[in-house]
Amino acid sequence: MTKRVVLLEEGTAEMKGLIGNKGAGLAVLLQAGWPVPAGFIVTREGCRAFCTRLGHLSTEGVQEIGSAVRHLEEQTGKFFGDSLAPLLLAVRSSEASSHDMESHALLRVGLNDVTVEGLARQTNDRQYALNCYRILLQDYGQLVHGIPYSLFEEKLGDLSILNESKLEFAIAEYKQLIEDIGLHPFPQDVQLQLKEAMCAVSNIQRAPRLNSQQELLLQSTPFSGDHQGNAVLIQVMVNGEQGERSGIGTLYSHHPATGERGMTGEYIASVVSQSQDEELGQLRREEPELYGLLLDACSYLENCMGEVQKIQFIIDSGELYLLHVSPACLSAKAALRSTIDFVHEGVITKADALLRIEPWHVTEMLKGFSSCTPELELLLEWADEIKELMILSNVNHPQDAITARALGSEGIGLCRTEHMLLSPARLPFVQKMILADNESERRRGLERLLPMQQSDFEQIFEAMDGYPVTIRLLDSPLHELLPDLGVLEKRREWLQAEERQEVDHQNELEELERVIRRVSELHEHNPTLGQQTCRLSTVFPEIVDMQLEAIFRAAVKGVRQGWWVRPEIMIPQIGHVHELQAMRDLVDHVADQVLGEEKRHCLYRVGAMIEAPRAALTATHIARQADFFSFGTEELTEMTFGYSREQAEMRFFQLDKDSRTVTNNPFHVLDVEGVGQLVEMAVVQGRIRKPHLKTGICGENAVDLESITFCHRIGLDYVSCLPEQIPYARIAAAQAAIKGQRDSANVQNADISTIA
Ligand code: PEP
Ligand code: MG
């Protein structure tokens, strides 16, 4: 049968599930020789068996718990319920987290009208003993019967004068309050006290939080029932609040805000000394031995756990006791700094350190410091040593490439050339070129744009010297680069008004009519499915010519500067291999003309941007003409789901939240189940045709930890993201690699043990 009562001397770390994390932690400490108040744990099983539906302890429970209590009596020489040497107990949840430790507890169980006098004699301080009893009554009332503290406080009145008679009066009033509301008197039988405390602490999650008297009257019965029960930790009460050389404290093994090495925290001595201070200075001066012991405990625990520790302790008449030890809650900065320290000290591995960091903390830290701290730099270097995915960047302007490189980008995965043309200085030339009535006029416009694009590419090649730069050819419906039709029509109306029939206005009106006609011709109602991208080159091949010429001219210049230049020309919206083939011919033709002799120094590539499901489905064919596949997963998501992002987010994602049709917005987190399948299938099929086909994702909906883990798992070569997301992606890619390695090691071990 599973154990129902476990002495701290018997507990182990592996019993965490049975005896709760707090109890298991203390058991390990005790057995390693650290001072821990003697105690035992009533397991979840035990609590379930002992606390019956009505909140009463069964007979066997009484026996098993009774024998554990006797064990504590033997260890302390005190006796539970004894009038001369009363043993007092602390009853706590063994599972609550450290910060709410005392709110899920009942302390000083064992005090009653008789034993309180025993405590008074033991401590030689009756006022202290009475106050302990008063606090027990108040906590008991709150925990067992849900009576709010405020009702007790009302009875107490002025807190500044707590003399014996006032305390005796308060005790009588509190007992009456418990009886009135709880419908039972406060138990003078200490066994009954313990039983009720245990059942209440075990069932603590069900204890209602009552704020008003009305609620209270509605619910004045004990809290028990079908709750599964928490394991309950019962320990000998140690007292740090009274007497010489006593006090209570909380410390951290590293600073929780800055992560600085060294013990820090606070200590409150029971006797106010001349040099009282809130930190640990007084303890170091007055109790150097105990201070040293705490220092040792910190390094012992950090070495065992590999984490910064929070230690709550008590000093009772010169004896140190560790009350609770748990991993400390740290600021992002402190978590990073201490983690790096642990690696340097050999306590944890680099992989452990990387797994411990929340990738989004890195983004937050970068926002806070605006540049990498040395610790962050180091962590990112470790990530690069481990990760298998390359992290590239999506850029719209040369400045983005400089930022991306500084943040560790290993190249450009998507350079959106249409964004470069949209700047206010360039747009008039772009519009003039598009609105031209014939090819020669259009070519003249393009001649003005070519040096602008070339200069952009030169700057990007320079920033990315040594790394590949994927440049996507113009991928915008032309009308998006043109003036708004509605605005043009308004202007026409204004010019057509009678009074403006002067010659100047006539000329403008004629030109405006021409522009309106052209804009209307080029307008597309459904641009995603329209003439943009690779199909544009069949209508206006000269635009693509200009872009290619600009790329290769910039490449020649770069090569002559001594840079390592690798342009990767990405053809957007490929649906059929013939489209890619035609574009590839065009690229090769321009490259031959522009690169000339430099061609051997500039190994360019041509690849397909896969955003149309047909391209994914025919990946084996597309791979014949592609040096790489880049998945535009945002548009692939639109086409796979059959809705546009704009419409979905504006009109129905909100509604779907309630009906739970779409659990995650697939434009924020890659839909691994559907879109991910298309990507995986295309990668597999593409590599059947071309084993070294380079593959990656440039859609910005694949940059969360889960999506990056998927990208790693299916063996993509890279993920491309916004420059500011690069540090996040580097950490996430390393985490994906580490988890992947550990998972396969586990599978191998399992296989070996099956064979054995
Ligand atoms: C995409 O659709 O995933 C993509 C990267 O394209 P865009 O440039 O339109 O964001
Ligand atoms: Mg797209």
Side-chain angles (χ1 to χ4, degrees):
M1 193 176 68
T2 326
K3 262 185 145 343
R4 299 193 295 194
V5 176
V6 177
L7 298 178
L8 278 180
E9 296 92 311
E10 301 167 338
T12 62
E14 292 69 42
M15 288 165 93
K16 202 186 276 184
L18 180 72
I19 62 176
N21 52 0
K22 203 187 296 173
L26 289 178
V28 171
L29 275 182
L30 182 82
Q31 288 161 46
W34 296 98
V36 169
F40 61 90
I41 299 127
V42 183
T43 67
R44 287 178 198 157
E45 277 276 301
C47 289
R48 254 176 269 158
F50 299 156
C51 297
T52 62
R53 285 191 66 77
L54 294 173
H56 296 301
L57 198 60
S58 62
T59 319
E60 56 192 348
V62 173
Q63 280 166 1
E64 286 181 47
I65 290 171
S67 102
V69 170
R70 272 193 297 288
H71 180 73
L72 301 185
E73 290 174 338
E74 280 160 22
Q75 285 182 300
T76 57
K78 294 180 183 171
F79 300 92
F80 197 45
D82 189 64
S83 59
L84 296 175
L87 172 69
L88 304 187
L89 298 175
V91 181
R92 299 184 171 96
S93 164
S94 190
E95 300 176 56
S97 56
S98 60
H99 62 271
D100 55 15
M101 183 164 101
E102 298 307 358
S103 63
H104 286 187
L106 196 59
L107 307 182
R108 305 173 190 86
V109 171
L111 278 179
N112 59 19
D113 294 350
V114 177
T115 56
V116 71
E117 300 303 339
L119 180 66
R121 278 191 295 278
Q122 263 179 342
T123 55
N124 213 8
D125 189 344
R126 187 162 186 273
Q127 187 177 324
Y128 166 74
L130 289 173
N131 199 34
C132 286
Y133 191 22
R134 176 191 72 79
I135 295 169
L136 169 66
L137 287 166
Q138 170 182 290
D139 290 348
Y140 171 92
Q142 202 283 329
L143 193 76
V144 178
H145 297 295
I147 305 171
Y149 282 130
S150 55
L151 294 192
F152 289 100
E153 277 155 17
E154 276 169 24
K155 304 267 175 212
L156 191 62
D158 184 4
L159 274 166
S160 60
I161 348 157
L162 278 183
N163 54 31
E164 287 182 32
S165 58
K166 179 141 189 207
L167 286 164
E168 280 166 352
F169 172 76
I171 287 166
E173 288 286 304
Y174 283 14
K175 284 198 280 192
Q176 194 56 54
L177 186 63
I178 290 170
E179 190 165 349
D180 289 348
I181 294 176
L183 305 178
H184 294 282
F186 172 76
Q188 291 296 316
D189 174 352
V190 293
Q191 304 292 346
L192 193 60
Q193 267 180 37
L194 179 60
K195 177 189 82 179
E196 290 195 348
M198 198 194 80
C199 292
V201 168
S202 175
N203 274 349
I204 196 70
Q205 285 162 356
R206 282 174 55 81
R209 295 275 165 263
L210 299 178
N211 297 323
S212 68
Q213 186 105 26
Q214 288 124 321
E215 278 178 296
L216 193 68
L217 293 171
L218 282 174
Q219 230 169 334
S220 58
T221 47
F223 318 117
S224 57
D226 56 3
H227 181 257
Q228 294 291 296
N230 296 322
V232 174
L233 170 67
I234 297 171
Q235 282 178 291
V236 169
M237 190 70 206
V238 280
N239 160 33
E241 293 161 353
Q242 184 263 352
E244 295 287 323
R245 297 186 63 200
S246 294
I248 53 173
T250 300
L251 61 82
Y252 295 87
S253 53
H254 275 65
H255 196 289
T258 64
E260 236 168 285
R261 258 203 198 90
M263 195 162 83
T264 171
E266 60 169 24
Y267 175 68
I268 302 163
S270 63
V271 177
V272 180
S273 91
Q274 290 278 306
S275 58
Q276 183 95 12
D277 61 41
E278 285 273 294
E279 295 182 2
L280 298 173
Q282 186 185 359
L283 183 68
R284 193 180 58 234
R285 283 188 302 275
E286 294 178 4
E287 298 286 357
E289 259 184 51
L290 299 185
Y291 185 83
L293 203 56
L294 284 169
L295 275 176
D296 292 347
C298 282
S299 56
Y300 169 82
L301 287 164
E302 279 193 345
N303 271 312
C304 288
M305 314 290 179
E307 279 180 275
V308 176
Q309 299 294 310
K310 179 180 176 185
I311 301 175
Q312 287 161 282
F313 65 95
I314 282 193
I315 297 179
D316 183 354
S317 309
E319 292 288 330
L320 172 71
Y321 293 97
L322 305 186
L323 269 198
H324 183 49
V325 171
S326 57
C329 257
L330 302 176
S331 70
K333 184 179 166 197
L336 176 65
R337 193 164 169 181
S338 57
T339 301
I340 301 268
D341 280 351
F342 290 142
V343 175
H344 286 148
E345 289 159 13
V347 176
I348 57 171
T349 62
K350 289 178 187 176
D352 291 330
L354 282 159
L355 282 183
R356 212 174 261 189
I357 298 294
E358 285 282 355
W360 62 268
H361 274 173
V362 171
T363 314
E364 289 295 304
M365 267 185 279
L366 270 172
K367 270 193 213 142
F369 303 129
S370 71
S371 69
C372 272
T373 59
E375 286 93 3
L376 196 48
E377 254 341 323
L378 193 59
L379 190 80
L380 289 165
E381 269 174 38
W382 294 344
D384 292 345
E385 286 168 20
I386 289 176
K387 72 181 177 51
E388 291 167 29
L389 279 168
M390 277 190 298
I391 305 302
L392 311 184
S393 174
N394 292 356
V395 298
N396 298 339
H397 303 284
Q399 182 54 43
D400 298 343
I402 296 169
T403 312
R405 187 63 211 110
L407 291 168
S409 174
E410 297 160 277
I412 302 297
L414 169 61
C415 170
R416 296 183 174 99
T417 53
E418 60 280 359
H419 283 259
M420 296 168 164
L421 297 174
L422 281 170
S423 75
R426 296 175 184 187
L427 199 58
F429 295 109
V430 174
Q431 292 180 343
K432 209 159 175 229
M433 179 273 291
I434 296 171
L435 294 170
D437 278 329
N438 54 55
E439 189 188 325
S440 64
E441 221 178 284
R442 192 153 41 248
R443 283 200 181 273
R444 264 201 304 281
L446 286 165
E447 273 164 27
R448 302 287 302 269
L449 290 170
L450 189 140
M452 300 177 192
Q453 286 250 285
Q454 183 182 335
S455 141
D456 288 340
F457 297 138
E458 281 169 19
Q459 292 174 61
I460 294 174
F461 288 144
E462 183 175 12
M464 286 290 155
D465 178 12
Y467 296 96
V469 174
T470 311
I471 299 167
R472 179 176 71 185
L473 299 181
L474 191 67
D475 182 23
S476 165
L478 287 185
H479 76 265
E480 281 185 9
L481 302 171
L482 294 177
D484 183 79
L485 198 57
V487 175
L488 295 175
E489 281 168 350
K490 276 228 165 73
R491 177 76 185 161
R492 177 169 62 184
E493 257 174 52
W494 187 83
L495 288 172
Q496 280 170 340
E498 287 282 322
E499 65 274 20
R500 298 188 192 91
Q501 298 294 317
E502 307 129 35
V503 182
D504 268 7
H505 287 149
Q506 272 307 312
N507 291 345
E508 189 188 338
L509 191 59
E510 273 168 35
E511 176 59 10
L512 192 62
E513 292 287 6
R514 188 185 76 82
V515 170
I516 289 175
R517 198 179 55 250
R518 210 62 194 109
V519 171
S520 312
E521 277 166 16
L522 292 168
H523 189 84
E524 292 178 66
H525 285 289
N526 201 344
T528 308
L529 308 176
Q531 184 187 253
Q532 73 193 82
T533 69
C534 60
R535 283 148 238 150
L536 186 69
S537 70
T538 53
V539 190
F540 298 127
E542 54 278 9
I543 298 180
V544 175
D545 275 354
M546 179 279 284
Q547 289 202 297
L548 291 169
E549 199 173 329
I551 294 168
F552 289 122
R553 277 194 194 191
V556 169
K557 200 154 173 194
V559 168
R560 289 189 182 148
Q561 296 281 343
W563 308 331
W564 186 95
V565 179
R566 162 72 60 83
E568 304 206 340
I569 317 289
M570 175 147 82
I571 316 298
Q573 285 275 6
I574 289 297
H576 195 289
V577 65
H578 291 159
E579 291 170 328
L580 183 60
Q581 193 174 2
M583 292 301 292
R584 183 168 199 121
D585 291 346
L586 198 63
V587 175
D588 289 341
H589 176 70
V590 178
D592 283 347
Q593 285 186 330
V594 180
L595 291 175
E597 277 296 291
E598 307 294 356
K599 197 166 177 183
R600 48 202 170 99
H601 300 295
C602 178
L603 297 176
Y604 65 90
R605 285 171 164 165
V606 180
M609 184 169 192
I610 298 194
E611 295 176 291
R614 191 185 188 285
L617 293 165
T618 59
T620 12
H621 303 305
I622 307 264
R624 262 195 287 137
Q625 294 295 327
D627 299 321
F628 63 90
F629 282 176
S630 176
F631 295 89
T633 43
E634 290 190 320
E635 223 148 298
L636 186 59
T637 299
E638 290 188 313
M639 297 216 212
T640 305
F641 276 90
Y643 46 59
S644 79
R645 175 178 190 160
E646 197 188 348
Q647 293 295 312
E649 289 185 342
M650 193 166 64
R651 296 183 194 277
F652 50 85
F653 273 8
Q654 292 305 321
L655 304 174
D656 279 348
K657 246 186 217 158
D658 301 328
S659 68
R660 295 185 172 274
T661 316
V662 178
T663 43
N664 277 322
N665 179 340
F667 298 105
H668 290 164
V669 175
L670 184 71
D671 161 47
V672 167
E673 199 182 29
V675 178
Q677 287 310 301
L678 274 176
V679 174
E680 185 171 8
M681 190 198 70
V683 170
V684 171
Q685 296 295 319
R687 284 184 179 156
I688 289 174
R689 169 75 61 172
K690 211 172 249 179
H692 298 296
L693 183 76
K694 180 177 170 184
T695 57
I697 286 186
C698 62
E700 286 164 11
N701 56 344
V703 194
D704 60 289
L705 181 57
E706 203 185 315
S707 310
I708 287 183
T709 305
F710 169 76
C711 295
H712 170 86
R713 187 179 64 67
I714 64 166
L716 292 186
D717 294 297
Y718 69 86
V719 169
S720 189
C721 56
L722 291 170
E724 59 269 26
Q725 292 172 321
I726 287 169
Y728 174 104
R730 287 164 73 188
I731 301 284
Q735 292 189 346
I738 297 163
K739 284 184 204 149
Q741 284 159 10
R742 292 190 178 176
D743 285 350
S744 56
N746 286 342
V747 170
Q748 273 172 16
N749 288 342
D751 287 350
I752 290 166
S753 62
T754 317
I755 295 163

